[in-house]
Structure formats: C-alpha cells, structure tokens
Amino acid sequence: FQCVYCYQIFGRAYRGRSAVDIMAEISELDNRYGIDFISFQDDCFIIDKARVHEFCDLLDQSRLEIKWSCCGRANVVDRELLERMKSAGCVSVSFGIESGSQRILDRYRKGVSVERAKAAVSLVREVGMRNPTSFMLGAPGETRETAWETVDFCRELNIPLQALMLTTPYPGTPLYEEATAMGRIGDAEAFVMRLGDCVDFTVNLTDMTDSELIALRDEMLAEARENYRPPAPEEIA
C-alpha cells in the first residue's frame, strides 16, 4: 500500500510466514506456557486470505483452546473471511481508520474511502467480533472541519475514539520528506531523539498553532467520550 506515514525499509513486496510455521510456534508456546490467547500485530496479517484460511484450518485441527486477535485493513476484509476467522477463535479485528475525512484520507494516500471504512467496521460487528479502531490528527491540510469529520464518523458508528494519535512523520516515509520540505523538522538528529509513539506531541504539520492543535485533540476526545454508548453485555462477543 502507499500510505505516506509508513516506512517500507524492506521494499513493498509482502512475505508472510507460512501458516504451518505460525501454528508450530503457537504449539510450542502452548507446550511451554499453557497460553490461551495470541495477538497478531502484523498490519498485513489478513492480506493473504488463503494463508489465513489455512491457519484457521490448522488451528481447528490442533484442538488448542486458543482465542486470538489480529490487525486488518478496511478494504480487504469480507464476510466469508471474517466468519471463518471467528469460527477458528478470532475475537477481535482492529483497523487503523486514521480519519473520517475523505480529503485527509486522500492526503494520506490511504486507498480507502470513508464509506468503505464504515462498512468494514459494521461488518466486523455483525459477524460478532470486537473492532478496536485508531485514528490520527494533524495531517498537512488538517483543519477543524476535517478533524470534526472524524468525530462525526465515531459518533455515527458509536466509536469511543480512545486511540487518537498525532500524525508523526517518521524518517524514511514520504510524510517525513514533505515535513522536511515544509521546514518542520529542523535538526534531523534532534527530531529523531524526540520521536515517541505518536501520542506525545512531536511536530505540527498543520496551519494551526501548537496550542490550537493540542486543544482540538482534547476537544475531540471529550466530544467522542460524551457521545459514546458502551455496548450492553449481550452485544459483546
């Protein structure tokens, strides 16, 4: 994919570990520690659907009582895949939605429409799995109006917006090159030493002041929190 905030240090080809190897490692962990849950943090875990189906088959055959979660992508998931994953013990599929504004998604080169993202969130829930989502604030060109589209997205789909990261240009990404050209990086070594996990403020890529951007983030979180309706116990898979 072409997202401007991700670095591709090994190129753009995807090479995943085989389902057999993944299953062997899970079996080893179970033998050693008696595990009952696995979280796959690979952003591309579901890209190779045939591998996911093979993994689900192997997990069923193993008879291990293990629940698991993974990361997904809104324009890749489909009902057949999600239902197979759920039947093999998957309880949660998380998405990086990033923004509820199509203008900002296009700026990120996300390759996903707002409507497709909404449909994917709804589909995961319909299948009966949890769907944690994360968003970003502070793209070049971000305004109060585009930021509030993210709040509207969360309000419409009853998302708590607990994970709202600040857009951070990591070295090696197109976004970093853009930020450098904008004069926002300054001393590169000092910038790298300040980098954190996208929660702490590092650099402002918008036309807002630093204080306006931070205040907007706090306002978005408060508004989403106020409008969020926790699901009833029977709604939780």
Side-chain angles (χ1 to χ4, degrees):
F1 300 102
Q2 306 295 321
C3 305
V4 298
Y5 47 80
C6 288
Y7 53 85
Q8 309 286 344
I9 58 175
F10 297 117
R12 295 193 174 277
Y14 174 66
R15 183 181 68 177
R17 287 180 60 74
S18 71
V20 172
D21 285 346
I22 295 172
M23 196 61 240
E25 292 173 352
I26 291 176
S27 297
E28 179 67 15
L29 290 171
D30 182 65
N31 289 334
R32 289 190 183 189
Y33 309 111
I35 61 170
D36 58 10
F37 186 83
I38 290 284
S39 177
F40 295 103
Q41 292 299 304
D42 176 9
D43 291 336
C44 296
F45 181 80
I46 67 170
I47 299 301
D48 185 346
K49 295 182 181 181
R51 184 186 69 144
V52 176
H53 278 278
E54 183 184 1
F55 167 70
C56 291
D57 292 342
L58 291 172
L59 188 55
D60 284 347
Q61 293 167 18
S62 75
R63 300 187 181 280
L64 292 176
E65 296 295 328
I66 289 178
K67 300 298 183 182
W68 54 283
S69 68
C70 67
C71 300
R73 188 176 164 87
N75 63 337
V76 174
V77 295
D78 58 57
R79 182 177 294 275
E80 179 186 5
L81 180 67
L82 292 173
E83 288 180 343
R84 181 65 187 101
M85 290 163 56
K86 184 176 189 295
S87 70
C90 185
V91 296
S92 174
V93 181
S94 61
F95 295 144
I97 303 294
E98 319 314 358
S99 177
S101 166
Q102 192 62 55
R103 179 151 63 95
I104 297 302
L105 289 179
D106 292 344
R107 190 68 180 263
Y108 284 143
R109 293 196 298 212
K110 179 73 175 176
V112 179
S113 70
V114 170
E115 292 308 311
R116 183 67 184 89
K118 290 179 180 179
V121 170
S122 298
L123 182 57
V124 174
R125 291 173 174 177
E126 288 172 14
V127 169
M129 293 188 286
R130 294 189 173 113
N131 181 228
T133 53
S134 61
F135 297 82
M136 300 196 301
L137 172 68
E142 187 92 76
T143 64
R144 280 191 62 85
E145 288 71 26
T146 60
W148 222 248
E149 288 182 84
T150 293
V151 174
D152 291 339
F153 182 101
C154 294
R155 183 186 293 118
E156 179 180 342
L157 287 127
N158 194 38
I159 293 173
L161 193 58
Q162 293 173 323
L164 178 58
M165 314 301 179
L166 292 165
T167 302
T168 304
Y170 285 89
T173 66
L175 187 61
Y176 181 84
E177 300 303 320
E178 183 177 358
T180 300
M182 293 167 64
R184 304 297 175 91
I185 299 299
D187 182 86
E189 183 174 354
F191 176 79
V192 169
M193 295 302 294
R194 294 198 307 272
L195 282 176
D197 58 3
C198 304
V199 176
D200 296 328
F201 177 73
T202 303
V203 61
N204 186 351
L205 304 178
T206 74
D207 291 331
M208 292 177 269
T209 66
D210 293 356
S211 59
E212 286 173 338
L213 180 61
I214 298 302
L216 176 59
R217 181 176 183 269
D218 292 342
E219 188 179 348
M220 292 170 67
L221 291 171
E223 181 71 15
R225 196 161 45 238
E226 182 177 343
N227 285 277
Y228 175 64
R229 179 189 62 81
E234 60 271 17
E235 296 178 282
I236 301 176

